[in-house]
Amino acid sequence: MVEWRTLFKQNILNEAEDYIRSNSVQNLTIEDNLTIEENQVTAKVIGIENYHVHIRLRGDEVYAMKCSCPYAKAGSSCKHTAAVMLAWENRMKAENDAKPAIPIEPETPAEPAAPTVPIVEAPVLSEGEKQPVRNIAENCLQLTVNIDDVLTYAIFHNGAHIVRDICVKNMSDSDLEHLLIQISSDIGVINDFKLGIEKIKPDEELHLRNLDV
């Protein structure tokens, strides 16, 4: 804002205030000259006579002041130019206050980071623990075990059953008695499973389903 009050005596400023209160400053016009960065302020001040004031502002300085009153023509800073400067200042303040404030957008809260799921590597299984498991013993007893397609330590850790169904078939020509079926793992993937079978006839199949192994 232009610091203009230092150009006037205090009594002149007081009289300028009186002009503002009595609404004596009329036809206030502000023209911008962008070429030379100059503002021209003109107005009519009603007193004993109507006095015409013309003020030129450049940057933050009062470049020139003119008034048609005798006091100004004698080379003094008159109360009419002070009143016009005060009216100009009030106009600038009112326009600045009327400008809409730039809304401040609230910061978007950062999304919480996704929980880290530890990756557990699946243990390396021995050849006897991979699907399918089918073995014909020397005594002609065929044992077939169906194991889940996805066999990983993560599944076991979450409580999935690894061995579902077992089929025992007598491939010999005679009865097989007092059999023991045992399922175990060298790496502790499953709990040991044992099941006794009293007798299986030739070509007979015994199906054990929905096991919890």
Side-chain angles (χ1 to χ4, degrees):
M1 185 65 68
V2 178
E3 180 53 55
W4 55 271
R5 284 178 170 79
T6 56
L7 302 176
F8 300 92
K9 296 179 181 179
Q10 186 59 48
N11 64 315
I12 297 296
L13 293 175
N14 295 338
E15 294 181 11
E17 293 280 358
D18 293 337
Y19 277 125
I20 295 297
R21 284 190 289 268
S22 62
N23 198 27
S24 298
V25 179
Q26 303 288 327
N27 302 332
L28 180 66
T29 303
I30 302 173
E31 297 180 0
D32 295 334
N33 188 338
L34 300 179
T35 303
I36 58 176
E37 296 183 355
E38 180 179 278
N39 294 334
Q40 297 192 38
V41 182
T42 59
K44 179 177 67 174
V45 180
I46 301 174
I48 300 176
E49 299 181 10
N50 293 335
Y51 299 107
H52 298 280
V53 177
H54 183 198
I55 302 172
R56 296 166 61 186
L57 305 175
R58 288 187 180 179
D60 294 335
E61 297 181 355
V62 177
Y63 184 72
M65 296 187 299
K66 290 177 61 177
C67 180
S68 59
C69 73
Y71 191 78
K73 290 181 178 179
S76 301
S77 298
C78 68
K79 58 186 177 182
H80 310 109
T81 54
V84 173
M85 285 300 302
L86 187 57
W88 167 83
E89 184 178 79
N90 293 340
R91 171 82 61 84
M92 294 296 101
K93 289 180 179 179
E95 290 180 355
N96 290 334
D97 293 342
K99 291 181 180 179
I102 299 176
I104 300 177
E105 297 183 359
E107 296 184 0
T108 303
E111 295 184 358
T116 303
V117 178
I119 299 176
V120 182
E121 296 183 358
V124 179
L125 302 180
S126 64
E127 292 298 327
E129 291 171 323
K130 296 180 181 178
Q131 181 190 2
V133 176
R134 177 170 296 162
N135 184 28
I136 301 177
E138 294 182 357
N139 58 5
C140 298
L141 179 67
Q142 177 178 294
L143 174 63
T144 303
V145 180
N146 292 329
I147 302 177
D148 287 349
D149 292 336
V150 181
L151 179 56
T152 64
Y153 181 78
I155 292 179
F156 166 72
H157 186 71
N158 288 322
H161 305 312
I162 296 177
V163 179
R164 299 293 190 184
D165 305 321
I166 296 177
C167 177
V168 181
K169 183 177 181 180
N170 186 354
M171 303 293 292
S172 68
D173 297 329
S174 59
D175 295 344
L176 297 177
E177 299 179 350
H178 307 298
L179 302 176
L180 175 64
I181 298 176
Q182 179 175 346
I183 302 175
S184 61
S185 171
D186 294 335
I187 58 175
V189 175
I190 63 175
N191 296 325
D192 289 348
F193 174 82
K194 294 181 181 181
L195 178 64
I197 300 176
E198 184 176 356
K199 182 173 64 175
I200 301 179
K201 296 180 180 180
D203 292 328
E204 182 184 5
E205 291 184 1
L206 178 61
H207 290 274
L208 307 176
R209 303 186 185 279
N210 300 322
L211 298 178
D212 185 11
V213 179

